[in-house]
Amino acid sequence: MRDKDLCLMTDTAVTDSAATTDYLSGGSVQNAPGAGIYMMVTCTTTADSATDAATVVVSIQADDNTSFSSPTTLAQSASYAIASAGLTAGGRILVPMPFNAVKTEKYYRGYFTVGTENLSAGKFTVEFITNPQRNGI
C-alpha cells in the first residue's frame, strides 16, 4: 500500500542533477523521521546516457524551509553506473533515514546527483517507506 503524501515524485524523468518534485513536511521537530524509514527510489524507465558514462547518486536532504535554500544532506546512496541494477527498469535504491539525524529541520526531499554526463533517458519514482522488501534489492 502506498501513501501519496509520502511520495516525492512519480515516474519523473531525470536528466541532470535535480531535486524531487515534492517534499515531505516532518511536522514538529519532535516528530522528525528516524529509524526504520527509508527513501526508496524505483527506476520506472531504464536510465541511459550518450556514452554510458553517467553516474547517479541519490541523497536525502533536509532544510528548515520549503525552498531548501541551505539543505543538509542526511544520507546518500552509493554511486550507480548506467546498466547497474538500480538504474534499470524495476530496479530500486534504498537510502536509510538516519535516526534523529537533524532535529532542527522540518522538510525532507530527495536529490539526484548526475555525474560524468547527463542522462538521455531514465524515469524514477521516489517515496518514503518503512519495512522495505529486501529480496531483489
Coordinates of all heavy atoms in Angstrom, one line a residue, residues 9-104:
M9 N 8.0 12.0 -5.9 CA 7.8 12.2 -7.3 C 7.4 10.8 -7.9 O 7.8 9.8 -7.4 CB 9.0 12.8 -8.0 CG 10.3 11.9 -8.0 SD 11.6 12.9 -8.7 CE 12.3 11.8 -9.9
T10 N 6.7 10.9 -9.0 CA 6.2 9.6 -9.6 C 6.5 9.6 -11.1 O 6.1 10.5 -11.8 CB 4.6 9.5 -9.4 OG1 4.3 9.6 -8.0 CG2 4.1 8.2 -10.0
D11 N 7.2 8.6 -11.5 CA 7.5 8.3 -12.9 C 8.0 9.6 -13.6 O 7.5 10.0 -14.7 CB 6.3 7.7 -13.6 CG 6.6 7.1 -14.9 OD1 7.7 6.5 -15.1 OD2 5.7 7.0 -15.8
T12 N 9.0 10.2 -13.0 CA 9.5 11.5 -13.5 C 10.9 11.4 -14.1 O 11.7 10.7 -13.6 CB 9.6 12.5 -12.3 OG1 8.3 12.6 -11.7 CG2 10.0 13.9 -12.8
A13 N 11.1 12.0 -15.3 CA 12.4 12.0 -16.0 C 13.4 12.8 -15.2 O 13.1 13.9 -14.7 CB 12.2 12.6 -17.4
V14 N 14.6 12.2 -15.1 CA 15.8 12.9 -14.5 C 16.9 12.9 -15.6 O 17.2 11.8 -16.1 CB 16.2 12.2 -13.2 CG1 17.5 12.8 -12.7 CG2 15.2 12.3 -12.2
T15 N 17.4 14.1 -16.0 CA 18.5 14.1 -16.9 C 19.7 14.7 -16.4 O 20.8 14.3 -16.8 CB 18.0 14.9 -18.2 OG1 17.7 16.2 -17.8 CG2 16.9 14.2 -18.9
D16 N 19.6 15.6 -15.4 CA 20.7 16.2 -14.8 C 20.5 16.3 -13.3 O 19.4 15.9 -12.8 CB 20.8 17.7 -15.3 CG 22.2 18.3 -15.1 OD1 23.1 17.7 -14.5 OD2 22.3 19.5 -15.5
S17 N 21.5 16.7 -12.5 CA 21.3 16.8 -11.1 C 20.0 17.7 -10.8 O 19.8 18.7 -11.3 CB 22.5 17.5 -10.4 OG 23.6 16.6 -10.6
A18 N 19.2 17.1 -9.9 CA 17.9 17.8 -9.6 C 17.3 17.2 -8.3 O 17.5 16.1 -7.9 CB 16.9 17.6 -10.8
A19 N 16.4 18.1 -7.7 CA 15.7 17.7 -6.5 C 14.4 17.0 -7.0 O 13.9 17.1 -8.1 CB 15.3 18.9 -5.7
T20 N 13.8 16.2 -6.1 CA 12.5 15.6 -6.3 C 11.5 16.7 -6.5 O 11.7 17.9 -6.1 CB 12.1 14.7 -5.2 OG1 12.1 15.4 -3.9 CG2 12.9 13.5 -5.1
T21 N 10.4 16.4 -7.2 CA 9.4 17.4 -7.5 C 8.5 17.8 -6.3 O 7.8 18.8 -6.3 CB 8.4 16.9 -8.6 OG1 7.9 15.7 -8.2 CG2 9.2 16.7 -9.9
D22 N 8.6 17.1 -5.2 CA 7.8 17.4 -4.0 C 8.7 17.2 -2.8 O 9.9 16.7 -2.9 CB 6.6 16.6 -3.9 CG 5.5 17.3 -3.1 OD1 5.7 18.3 -2.5 OD2 4.3 16.7 -3.1
Y23 N 8.2 17.5 -1.6 CA 9.0 17.3 -0.3 C 8.0 16.8 0.7 O 6.8 16.9 0.6 CB 9.7 18.6 0.1 CG 8.7 19.8 0.3 CD1 8.0 20.0 1.5 CD2 8.5 20.7 -0.8 CE1 7.1 21.0 1.6 CE2 7.6 21.7 -0.6 CZ 6.9 21.9 0.6 OH 6.0 22.9 0.7
L24 N 8.6 16.3 1.8 CA 7.8 15.9 2.9 C 8.0 16.8 4.1 O 9.1 17.2 4.4 CB 8.3 14.5 3.4 CG 7.8 13.9 4.7 CD1 6.3 13.5 4.5 CD2 8.6 12.7 5.1
S25 N 6.9 17.2 4.7 CA 6.9 18.0 5.9 C 7.0 17.1 7.1 O 6.1 16.3 7.3 CB 5.7 18.9 6.0 OG 5.7 19.6 7.3
G26 N 8.1 17.2 7.9 CA 8.2 16.3 9.0 C 7.4 16.7 10.2 O 7.5 16.1 11.3
G27 N 6.6 17.8 10.1 CA 5.9 18.3 11.3 C 6.8 19.0 12.3 O 7.8 19.5 11.9
S28 N 6.5 18.9 13.5 CA 7.3 19.5 14.5 C 8.6 18.7 14.6 O 8.7 17.5 14.3 CB 6.6 19.4 15.9 OG 6.5 18.1 16.4
V29 N 9.7 19.3 15.1 CA 11.0 18.7 15.2 C 11.0 17.5 16.1 O 11.7 16.6 16.0 CB 12.1 19.7 15.6 CG1 12.3 20.7 14.5 CG2 11.8 20.3 16.9
Q30 N 10.0 17.4 17.1 CA 9.9 16.3 18.0 C 9.5 15.1 17.2 O 9.7 13.9 17.6 CB 9.0 16.6 19.1 CG 9.5 17.6 20.1 CD 9.2 19.0 19.6 OE1 8.4 19.3 18.7 NE2 9.9 20.0 20.2
N31 N 8.8 15.2 16.1 CA 8.2 14.1 15.3 C 9.1 13.9 14.0 O 8.6 13.3 13.1 CB 6.8 14.4 14.9 CG 5.9 14.5 16.1 OD1 6.1 13.8 17.1 ND2 4.9 15.4 16.1
A32 N 10.3 14.3 14.0 CA 11.1 14.2 12.8 C 11.3 12.7 12.5 O 11.4 11.9 13.4 CB 12.5 14.9 13.1
P33 N 11.5 12.4 11.2 CA 11.7 11.0 10.8 C 12.9 10.4 11.5 O 13.8 11.1 11.8 CB 11.8 11.1 9.3 CG 11.2 12.3 8.9 CD 11.4 13.3 10.1
G34 N 13.0 9.1 11.5 CA 14.1 8.5 12.1 C 14.2 7.0 11.7 O 13.9 6.6 10.6
A35 N 14.7 6.2 12.7 CA 15.0 4.8 12.4 C 13.8 4.1 11.8 O 12.7 4.3 12.1 CB 15.4 4.1 13.7
G36 N 14.2 3.2 10.8 CA 13.1 2.4 10.2 C 12.5 3.0 9.0 O 11.6 2.4 8.4
I37 N 12.9 4.2 8.7 CA 12.3 4.9 7.5 C 13.4 4.9 6.4 O 14.6 5.2 6.7 CB 11.9 6.3 7.9 CG1 10.8 6.3 8.9 CG2 11.4 7.1 6.6 CD1 10.3 7.6 9.4
Y38 N 13.0 4.7 5.2 CA 13.9 4.7 4.0 C 13.3 5.5 2.9 O 12.1 5.6 2.8 CB 14.0 3.2 3.5 CG 14.7 2.3 4.4 CD1 14.0 1.7 5.5 CD2 16.0 2.0 4.3 CE1 14.6 0.8 6.4 CE2 16.6 1.1 5.2 CZ 15.9 0.5 6.2 OH 16.5 -0.3 7.1
M39 N 14.2 6.1 2.1 CA 13.8 6.7 0.9 C 14.0 5.6 -0.2 O 15.1 5.1 -0.3 CB 14.6 8.0 0.6 CG 14.0 8.7 -0.7 SD 14.8 10.2 -1.0 CE 16.4 9.7 -1.5
M40 N 12.9 5.2 -0.9 CA 13.1 4.2 -1.9 C 12.9 4.9 -3.3 O 11.9 5.6 -3.5 CB 12.0 3.1 -1.8 CG 12.1 2.0 -2.8 SD 11.0 0.6 -2.6 CE 9.4 1.4 -3.0
V41 N 13.9 4.7 -4.1 CA 13.9 5.2 -5.5 C 13.7 4.0 -6.4 O 14.5 3.1 -6.4 CB 15.3 5.9 -5.8 CG1 15.3 6.4 -7.2 CG2 15.5 7.0 -4.8
T42 N 12.6 4.0 -7.2 CA 12.3 3.0 -8.1 C 12.6 3.5 -9.5 O 12.0 4.5 -9.9 CB 10.9 2.5 -8.0 OG1 10.7 2.0 -6.6 CG2 10.6 1.3 -8.9
C43 N 13.4 2.8 -10.3 CA 13.6 3.2 -11.7 C 12.4 2.7 -12.5 O 12.2 1.5 -12.5 CB 14.9 2.7 -12.2 SG 15.3 3.1 -13.9
T44 N 11.7 3.6 -13.1 CA 10.5 3.1 -13.9 C 10.8 3.0 -15.4 O 10.1 2.3 -16.1 CB 9.3 4.1 -13.6 OG1 9.7 5.4 -14.0 CG2 8.9 4.0 -12.2
T45 N 11.8 3.7 -15.9 CA 12.3 3.6 -17.2 C 13.8 3.6 -17.2 O 14.4 4.4 -16.5 CB 11.9 4.8 -18.1 OG1 10.4 4.9 -18.1 CG2 12.4 4.7 -19.5
T46 N 14.4 2.6 -17.8 CA 15.9 2.4 -17.7 C 16.6 3.6 -18.0 O 16.3 4.3 -19.0 CB 16.3 1.2 -18.6 OG1 15.6 0.0 -18.2 CG2 17.8 1.0 -18.6
A47 N 17.6 3.9 -17.2 CA 18.5 5.1 -17.4 C 19.5 4.8 -18.5 O 20.0 3.7 -18.7 CB 19.1 5.5 -16.1
D48 N 19.8 5.9 -19.3 CA 20.8 5.7 -20.3 C 21.5 7.1 -20.5 O 21.0 8.1 -20.0 CB 20.2 5.3 -21.6 CG 21.2 4.8 -22.6 OD1 22.4 4.6 -22.3 OD2 20.8 4.5 -23.8
S49 N 22.7 7.1 -21.1 CA 23.4 8.3 -21.4 C 24.2 8.1 -22.7 O 24.4 7.0 -23.2 CB 24.4 8.7 -20.3 OG 25.4 7.8 -20.1
A50 N 24.6 9.2 -23.3 CA 25.2 9.1 -24.7 C 26.3 8.1 -24.8 O 26.4 7.3 -25.7 CB 25.7 10.5 -25.1
T51 N 27.3 8.1 -23.8 CA 28.4 7.1 -23.9 C 28.4 6.1 -22.8 O 29.4 5.5 -22.5 CB 29.7 7.9 -23.9 OG1 29.9 8.5 -22.7 CG2 29.8 8.9 -25.0
D52 N 27.2 6.0 -22.1 CA 27.0 5.1 -21.0 C 28.0 5.4 -19.8 O 28.4 4.5 -19.1 CB 27.2 3.6 -21.4 CG 26.0 3.2 -22.3 OD1 25.0 3.8 -22.2 OD2 26.2 2.2 -23.0
A53 N 28.4 6.7 -19.7 CA 29.3 7.0 -18.6 C 28.7 7.7 -17.4 O 29.3 8.0 -16.4 CB 30.4 8.0 -19.2
A54 N 27.4 8.0 -17.5 CA 26.7 8.8 -16.5 C 26.7 7.9 -15.2 O 26.6 6.7 -15.2 CB 25.3 9.1 -16.9
T55 N 26.7 8.6 -14.0 CA 26.6 8.0 -12.7 C 25.5 8.8 -12.0 O 25.2 9.9 -12.3 CB 27.9 8.1 -11.9 OG1 28.2 9.4 -11.8 CG2 29.0 7.3 -12.6
V56 N 24.8 8.1 -11.0 CA 23.8 8.7 -10.3 C 24.0 8.4 -8.8 O 24.2 7.2 -8.4 CB 22.4 8.2 -10.7 CG1 21.3 8.8 -9.8 CG2 22.1 8.5 -12.2
V57 N 23.9 9.4 -8.0 CA 23.9 9.3 -6.5 C 22.6 9.9 -6.0 O 22.2 11.0 -6.5 CB 25.1 10.0 -5.8 CG1 25.0 9.9 -4.3 CG2 26.4 9.4 -6.3
V58 N 21.9 9.2 -5.1 CA 20.6 9.7 -4.6 C 20.8 10.1 -3.1 O 21.3 9.3 -2.4 CB 19.5 8.7 -4.8 CG1 18.1 9.3 -4.3 CG2 19.4 8.2 -6.2
S59 N 20.3 11.3 -2.7 CA 20.5 11.7 -1.4 C 19.2 12.1 -0.7 O 18.3 12.5 -1.4 CB 21.4 13.0 -1.4 OG 22.6 12.8 -2.0
I60 N 19.2 12.0 0.6 CA 18.1 12.6 1.4 C 18.6 14.0 1.9 O 19.6 14.0 2.5 CB 17.7 11.7 2.6 CG1 17.3 10.4 2.1 CG2 16.6 12.4 3.4 CD1 17.0 9.4 3.3
Q61 N 17.8 15.0 1.6 CA 18.2 16.4 2.1 C 17.1 16.9 3.0 O 15.9 16.5 2.9 CB 18.4 17.3 0.9 CG 19.5 17.0 0.0 CD 19.7 18.1 -1.1 OE1 18.8 18.8 -1.5 NE2 20.9 18.2 -1.6
A62 N 17.5 17.8 3.9 CA 16.6 18.4 4.9 C 16.9 19.9 5.0 O 18.0 20.3 4.7 CB 16.8 17.7 6.3
D63 N 15.9 20.6 5.3 CA 16.0 22.1 5.5 C 14.9 22.6 6.4 O 13.9 21.9 6.6 CB 16.1 22.8 4.2 CG 16.9 24.1 4.2 OD1 17.1 24.6 5.3 OD2 17.3 24.6 3.2
D64 N 15.1 23.8 6.9 CA 14.0 24.4 7.7 C 13.0 25.2 6.9 O 12.1 25.8 7.4 CB 14.6 25.2 8.8 CG 15.4 26.4 8.3 OD1 15.6 26.5 7.0 OD2 15.9 27.2 9.1
N65 N 13.2 25.2 5.6 CA 12.3 26.0 4.7 C 12.0 25.2 3.4 O 12.8 24.4 3.0 CB 12.8 27.4 4.4 CG 14.1 27.4 3.7 OD1 14.1 27.2 2.5 ND2 15.2 27.5 4.4
T66 N 10.9 25.5 2.8 CA 10.5 24.7 1.6 C 11.3 25.1 0.3 O 11.2 24.3 -0.7 CB 9.0 24.9 1.3 OG1 8.7 26.3 1.1 CG2 8.1 24.3 2.5
S67 N 12.0 26.2 0.4 CA 12.8 26.5 -0.8 C 14.2 25.8 -0.8 O 15.0 25.8 -1.7 CB 13.1 28.0 -0.9 OG 13.8 28.5 0.2
F68 N 14.5 25.1 0.3 CA 15.7 24.4 0.5 C 16.9 25.3 0.2 O 17.8 24.9 -0.6 CB 15.7 23.1 -0.3 CG 14.9 22.0 0.3 CD1 13.5 22.0 0.0 CD2 15.4 21.0 1.1 CE1 12.7 21.0 0.6 CE2 14.6 20.1 1.7 CZ 13.2 20.1 1.4
S69 N 16.9 26.5 0.8 CA 18.0 27.4 0.5 C 19.3 27.0 1.1 O 20.4 27.5 0.6 CB 17.6 28.8 1.0 OG 17.3 28.8 2.4
S70 N 19.3 26.2 2.1 CA 20.6 25.7 2.7 C 20.4 24.3 3.1 O 20.4 24.0 4.3 CB 21.0 26.6 3.9 OG 20.0 26.6 4.8
P71 N 20.2 23.4 2.2 CA 19.9 22.0 2.5 C 21.1 21.2 3.2 O 22.3 21.5 2.9 CB 19.6 21.3 1.2 CG 20.3 22.1 0.2 CD 20.3 23.5 0.7
T72 N 20.7 20.3 4.1 CA 21.7 19.4 4.7 C 21.5 18.1 4.1 O 20.4 17.6 4.1 CB 21.5 19.4 6.3 OG1 21.6 20.7 6.8 CG2 22.4 18.4 6.9
T73 N 22.6 17.4 3.7 CA 22.5 16.0 3.2 C 22.6 15.1 4.4 O 23.5 15.1 5.1 CB 23.6 15.7 2.2 OG1 23.4 16.6 1.1 CG2 23.5 14.3 1.7
L74 N 21.5 14.3 4.6 CA 21.4 13.4 5.8 C 22.0 12.0 5.4 O 22.6 11.4 6.3 CB 20.0 13.2 6.2 CG 19.2 14.5 6.6 CD1 17.8 14.1 7.0 CD2 19.9 15.2 7.7
A75 N 21.8 11.6 4.2 CA 22.3 10.3 3.8 C 22.3 10.2 2.3 O 21.6 11.0 1.6 CB 21.4 9.2 4.4
Q76 N 23.2 9.3 1.8 CA 23.2 9.2 0.3 C 23.5 7.8 -0.1 O 24.1 7.0 0.7 CB 24.1 10.2 -0.4 CG 25.6 9.9 -0.1 CD 26.5 11.0 -0.7 OE1 26.1 12.1 -0.8 NE2 27.7 10.6 -1.1
S77 N 23.1 7.4 -1.3 CA 23.4 6.1 -1.8 C 24.8 6.0 -2.3 O 25.5 7.0 -2.4 CB 22.4 5.8 -3.0 OG 22.8 6.6 -4.1
A78 N 25.2 4.8 -2.7 CA 26.4 4.6 -3.5 C 26.2 5.3 -4.8 O 25.1 5.6 -5.2 CB 26.7 3.1 -3.6
S79 N 27.3 5.4 -5.6 CA 27.2 5.9 -7.0 C 26.8 4.7 -7.9 O 27.5 3.6 -7.9 CB 28.6 6.4 -7.4 OG 28.5 6.9 -8.7
Y80 N 25.8 4.9 -8.7 CA 25.3 3.9 -9.6 C 25.7 4.2 -11.0 O 25.4 5.4 -11.4 CB 23.8 3.7 -9.5 CG 23.4 3.0 -8.2 CD1 23.3 3.7 -7.0 CD2 23.1 1.6 -8.2 CE1 22.9 3.0 -5.8 CE2 22.7 1.0 -7.0 CZ 22.6 1.7 -5.9 OH 22.3 1.0 -4.7
A81 N 26.2 3.3 -11.7 CA 26.6 3.5 -13.1 C 25.4 3.0 -14.0 O 24.6 2.2 -13.6 CB 27.9 2.7 -13.4
I82 N 25.4 3.5 -15.2 CA 24.5 3.1 -16.2 C 24.5 1.6 -16.3 O 25.6 1.0 -16.3 CB 24.7 3.8 -17.6 CG1 24.5 5.3 -17.5 CG2 23.9 3.2 -18.7 CD1 23.1 5.7 -17.2
A83 N 23.4 0.9 -16.5 CA 23.2 -0.5 -16.6 C 23.4 -1.2 -15.3 O 23.3 -2.5 -15.2 CB 24.2 -1.1 -17.6
S84 N 23.6 -0.5 -14.2 CA 23.6 -1.2 -12.9 C 22.2 -1.5 -12.4 O 21.2 -0.9 -13.0 CB 24.4 -0.4 -11.8 OG 23.7 0.8 -11.5
A85 N 22.0 -2.4 -11.5 CA 20.7 -2.8 -11.1 C 19.8 -1.7 -10.7 O 18.6 -1.7 -11.0 CB 20.8 -3.9 -10.0
G86 N 20.3 -0.7 -10.0 CA 19.4 0.4 -9.5 C 18.9 1.3 -10.6 O 18.0 2.1 -10.4
L87 N 19.5 1.3 -11.8 CA 19.2 2.2 -12.9 C 18.5 1.5 -14.1 O 18.3 2.1 -15.1 CB 20.4 3.0 -13.4 CG 21.1 3.8 -12.3 CD1 22.3 4.6 -12.9 CD2 20.1 4.8 -11.7
T88 N 18.1 0.2 -13.9 CA 17.3 -0.5 -14.9 C 15.9 -0.5 -14.5 O 15.6 -0.5 -13.3 CB 17.9 -1.9 -15.2 OG1 17.9 -2.6 -13.9 CG2 19.3 -1.9 -15.7
A89 N 15.0 -0.6 -15.4 CA 13.5 -0.5 -15.1 C 13.2 -1.6 -14.1 O 13.6 -2.8 -14.2 CB 12.7 -0.8 -16.4
G90 N 12.5 -1.2 -13.0 CA 12.2 -2.1 -11.9 C 13.2 -2.1 -10.8 O 13.0 -2.6 -9.7
G91 N 14.4 -1.5 -11.1 CA 15.5 -1.5 -10.0 C 15.1 -0.5 -8.9 O 14.4 0.4 -9.1
R92 N 15.6 -0.8 -7.7 CA 15.4 0.0 -6.6 C 16.6 0.4 -5.8 O 17.6 -0.5 -5.7 CB 14.4 -0.7 -5.6 CG 13.0 -0.9 -6.2 CD 12.1 -1.5 -5.2 NE 10.8 -1.5 -5.8 CZ 9.8 -2.4 -5.4 NH1 10.1 -3.3 -4.5 NH2 8.7 -2.4 -6.0
I93 N 16.7 1.6 -5.3 CA 17.8 2.0 -4.5 C 17.1 2.4 -3.2 O 16.2 3.2 -3.1 CB 18.5 3.3 -5.1 CG1 19.0 2.9 -6.5 CG2 19.5 3.8 -4.2 CD1 19.5 4.1 -7.3
L94 N 17.7 1.9 -2.0 CA 17.2 2.3 -0.7 C 18.2 3.1 0.0 O 19.4 2.8 0.0 CB 17.0 1.0 0.1 CG 15.8 0.2 -0.2 CD1 15.8 -1.1 0.7 CD2 14.5 0.9 0.0
V95 N 17.7 4.3 0.5 CA 18.6 5.1 1.3 C 18.0 5.3 2.7 O 16.9 5.8 2.8 CB 18.7 6.5 0.7 CG1 19.7 7.4 1.5 CG2 19.2 6.4 -0.8
P96 N 18.6 4.7 3.8 CA 18.1 4.8 5.1 C 18.1 6.2 5.7 O 19.1 6.9 5.5 CB 18.9 3.8 5.9 CG 20.2 3.8 5.2 CD 19.9 4.0 3.7
M97 N 17.0 6.6 6.3 CA 17.0 7.9 7.0 C 17.7 7.7 8.4 O 17.3 6.8 9.2 CB 15.5 8.3 7.3 CG 15.3 9.5 8.2 SD 15.8 11.0 7.3 CE 14.3 11.4 6.5
P98 N 18.7 8.5 8.7 CA 19.4 8.3 9.9 C 18.5 8.7 11.1 O 17.6 9.6 11.0 CB 20.5 9.4 9.9 CG 20.6 9.8 8.4 CD 19.3 9.5 7.8
F99 N 18.6 7.9 12.2 CA 17.8 8.1 13.4 C 18.2 9.4 14.0 O 19.3 9.6 14.4 CB 17.9 7.0 14.3 CG 17.0 7.1 15.5 CD1 15.7 7.0 15.4 CD2 17.6 7.3 16.8 CE1 14.8 7.1 16.5 CE2 16.8 7.5 17.9 CZ 15.4 7.4 17.8
N100 N 17.2 10.3 14.2 CA 17.4 11.6 14.9 C 18.6 12.4 14.3 O 19.4 13.1 15.0 CB 17.6 11.5 16.4 CG 16.4 11.1 17.1 OD1 15.3 11.4 16.6 ND2 16.5 10.3 18.2
A101 N 18.8 12.3 13.0 CA 19.9 13.0 12.4 C 19.9 14.5 12.5 O 20.9 15.2 12.7 CB 20.0 12.6 10.9
V102 N 18.7 15.1 12.2 CA 18.6 16.5 12.3 C 17.3 16.9 13.0 O 16.2 16.6 12.6 CB 18.5 17.1 10.8 CG1 18.3 18.6 10.9 CG2 19.8 16.8 10.1
K103 N 17.4 17.6 14.1 CA 16.2 17.9 14.9 C 15.8 19.3 14.6 O 14.8 19.8 15.1 CB 16.5 17.7 16.4 CG 16.6 16.3 16.7 CD 16.6 16.1 18.2 CE 16.6 14.7 18.6 NZ 15.4 14.1 19.1
T104 N 16.6 20.1 13.9 CA 16.3 21.5 13.6 C 15.6 21.7 12.2 O 15.2 22.8 11.9 CB 17.5 22.4 13.7 OG1 18.5 21.9 12.7 CG2 18.1 22.3 15.1

